[in-house]
Amino acid sequence: MSNELITNANNVSLVNFTDMRISSREDEEFEEFDDEDDDEDEEDEDEEQAPVMLAFVEKPKHEWSLLRQLFPSKAGGTPAWLNPINLPSGKSCLCDICGEPLRFMLQAYAPLFEKESTFHRTLFVFMCTSMACLRRDQHEQWKRHPEKGSRSIKVFRCQLPRHNQFYSSEAPKNNGSDKPLGKAAPLCSWCGTWKGDKVCSNCKRARYCSRMHQATHWSSTHKTQCRTIDLTLQASNSGPTNYSEDIPKAVSNATWPEYEIINEDESEFDSDVSNIKSYGRALRNDNEDEGDTKSWAYFTQRIARAPEQVLRYSRHETSKPLWPMLSGRPSNADIPKCSSCGSDRAFEFQILPQLLHYFAVENDTNSLDWATIAVYTCEASCDGSLAYEEEFCWVQLTSQST
């Protein structure tokens, strides 16, 4: 894992995505990219690219800070579903390679104000925890038709107009008093992530998204818990619907540690990274692939401005990912069009490997690791037939070899 990019925290004042209400940024100034061939891009590696918003993580200040009615950006824990009823279901919840339920990684609240239907807009990222599946995922995306490939990382886009059945049209007070409108779908008692459409036949309280999570929960805690619930119901002569104690959700080892995502403009950080440039020159002497070496050196140079960043956001027509390596980058043809409306997909944000440090992922050959995960979304941010439209991501691993 690329832990060498992680250093002590920067003493900076950070702003929450919700406060910034990130839009298409038409009011901000962006420098234009030189969109010529790769060779010219390499020669211009030291030139400044368009500014982006950098995302960082910190522990939430309050227990209620990450509730769905506050439209949070967050990493780890369980998702704060924007549409709490019509959740992704079926195979959408599973790794296409191993068939296990995907784990919630992060969500980014990114409303767009040019359309009424995107007043609220959140992107959700899930992934399989198997590195073997991630390697397979990387090769699947290289196929001629990547939208048909098997994926271990999935991205969903959900959006709502200002006036909707789930939330007040007024801005949240952010003082712990905000409440959603109506109820949410019951979630899995083990992962707390996906809809719990399977019910424990004994206690009638625990719900599960899959037989796999039901079996895991039973063998770990619910076998004893379920019997306790049954005895309590018998003693009170009441049915399961009157039992008031909730089944605990999101058992700790079924989720990653939970953080609030906060952000700051990259231009606010110090750009003096001469030590990283020296490191890049040293790499160039040891690596025959000079293109990848130069790309990695520039990548580390940009990241060194704020080493604890976990996400880079820039939804603009000239934006593109900050690629760690030249090899394994997608061409325009590799990015599938929106499966709902047929529009092109455009780069929106990328996830950095520093996030694994905060998730306490062990650094060994079998653990999750990536160089970057670039997320592409429908340029039109269309109103599809599903509450959660699946988008596309491109994986670049530290090693692009087969």
Side-chain angles (χ1 to χ4, degrees):
M1 186 170 65
S2 303
N3 285 338
E4 67 269 24
L5 300 182
I6 301 170
T7 64
N8 293 330
N10 297 292
N11 295 320
V12 294
S13 176
L14 301 175
V15 184
N16 192 286
F17 270 126
T18 310
D19 299 327
M20 293 291 294
R21 295 187 67 82
I22 292 179
S23 67
S24 60
R25 307 195 198 287
E26 294 179 354
D27 297 328
E28 297 180 12
E29 295 182 0
F30 283 81
E31 297 178 20
E32 294 294 329
F33 281 119
D34 188 352
D35 207 13
E36 300 296 329
D37 56 49
D38 290 344
D39 292 336
E40 188 167 346
D41 285 343
E42 291 179 42
E43 293 174 359
D44 295 337
E45 66 175 5
D46 290 330
E47 293 184 5
E48 289 299 308
Q49 298 182 22
V52 298
M53 299 302 296
L54 307 182
F56 304 81
V57 294
E58 67 176 23
K59 286 297 183 180
K61 296 180 176 62
H62 309 284
E63 292 183 0
W64 45 263
S65 296
L66 301 181
L67 296 177
R68 62 182 177 89
Q69 60 266 27
L70 299 181
F71 313 107
S73 291
K74 65 189 296 287
T78 58
W81 293 109
L82 183 61
N83 181 324
I85 299 295
N86 303 311
L87 308 185
S89 60
K91 292 184 178 180
S92 296
C93 310
L94 306 177
C95 172
D96 293 334
I97 299 168
C98 70
E100 294 194 13
L102 297 171
R103 182 176 292 193
F104 173 67
M105 182 194 294
L106 62 82
Q107 64 186 76
Y109 181 64
L112 304 174
F113 299 118
E114 58 264 31
K115 291 173 58 179
E116 167 61 21
S117 63
T118 56
F119 184 86
H120 296 299
R121 178 174 176 272
T122 302
L123 301 168
F124 298 81
V125 184
F126 302 84
M127 76 179 303
C128 179
T129 58
S130 167
M131 187 62 196
C133 290
L134 186 59
R135 293 191 185 99
R136 172 74 178 277
D137 187 298
Q138 178 192 232
H139 297 304
E140 287 288 320
Q141 72 190 1
W142 290 340
K143 292 183 177 180
R144 299 290 296 177
H145 302 285
E147 69 273 17
K148 298 180 181 179
S150 298
R151 305 310 306 268
S152 71
I153 304 177
K154 296 183 181 181
V155 181
F156 297 96
R157 168 175 54 86
C158 182
Q159 54 199 43
L160 295 171
R162 179 170 185 171
H163 298 278
N164 61 81
Q165 60 180 311
F166 305 119
Y167 308 102
S168 169
S169 60
E170 301 300 319
K173 299 180 178 63
N174 287 294
N175 59 6
S177 65
D178 298 295
K179 302 294 182 183
L181 304 178
K183 296 183 178 181
L187 300 176
C188 176
S189 297
W190 174 250
C191 69
T193 298
W194 305 107
K195 182 180 290 187
D197 53 7
K198 298 174 177 60
V199 182
C200 175
S201 60
N202 184 51
C203 70
K204 304 295 192 298
R205 296 290 296 174
R207 290 178 171 268
Y208 302 100
C209 65
S210 62
R211 293 187 181 277
M212 182 180 300
H213 281 185
Q214 181 176 11
T216 304
H217 194 201
W218 178 263
S219 61
S220 61
T221 60
H222 191 59
K223 182 176 182 180
T224 301
Q225 184 185 64
C226 187
R227 291 172 178 171
T228 303
I229 294 173
D230 189 43
L231 291 172
T232 303
L233 292 174
Q234 292 180 27
S236 62
N237 294 318
S238 60
T241 56
N242 295 326
Y243 186 70
S244 61
E245 182 179 349
D246 290 331
I247 299 295
K249 291 181 173 60
V251 179
S252 59
N253 63 354
T255 61
W256 280 307
E258 186 175 51
Y259 296 93
E260 183 176 4
I261 291 180
I262 49 182
N263 73 68
E264 183 62 87
D265 195 298
E266 186 185 35
S267 63
E268 299 297 321
F269 293 86
D270 185 7
S271 60
D272 182 11
V273 287
S274 57
N275 60 323
I276 297 299
K277 291 181 180 180
S278 298
Y279 176 60
R281 287 193 293 270
L283 279 177
R284 190 172 293 115
N285 293 330
D286 295 334
N287 196 324
E288 293 181 0
D289 189 345
E290 185 172 332
D292 274 354
T293 302
K294 291 175 68 177
S295 183
W296 175 254
Y298 183 58
F299 176 81
T300 55
Q301 172 186 330
R302 288 291 290 267
I303 296 300
R305 299 179 183 183
E308 292 194 324
Q309 61 186 282
V310 299
L311 184 149
R312 299 172 62 85
Y313 184 101
S314 183
R315 191 180 195 272
H316 189 267
E317 61 183 7
T318 62
S319 297
K320 59 183 179 181
L322 178 62
W323 294 112
M325 290 162 288
L326 291 180
S327 60
R329 296 187 306 175
S331 65
N332 290 337
D334 290 324
I335 307 302
K337 296 182 181 297
C338 176
S339 57
S340 181
C341 72
S343 297
D344 289 337
R345 282 192 173 103
F347 169 70
E348 184 150 353
F349 66 86
Q350 68 185 105
I351 305 169
L352 302 176
Q354 286 89 316
L355 184 60
L356 294 168
H357 167 74
Y358 296 99
F359 284 171
V361 174
E362 295 181 1
N363 187 10
D364 61 51
T365 56
N366 296 318
S367 297
L368 278 178
D369 193 13
W370 62 78
T372 196
I373 299 171
V375 173
Y376 295 81
T377 59
C378 174
E379 283 188 333
S381 203
C382 66
D383 304 320
S385 59
L386 300 175
Y388 288 86
E389 293 290 339
E390 187 168 350
E391 297 289 10
F392 181 79
C393 65
W394 185 271
V395 181
Q396 194 177 66
L397 300 185
T398 304
S399 172
Q400 297 295 324
S401 65
T402 57

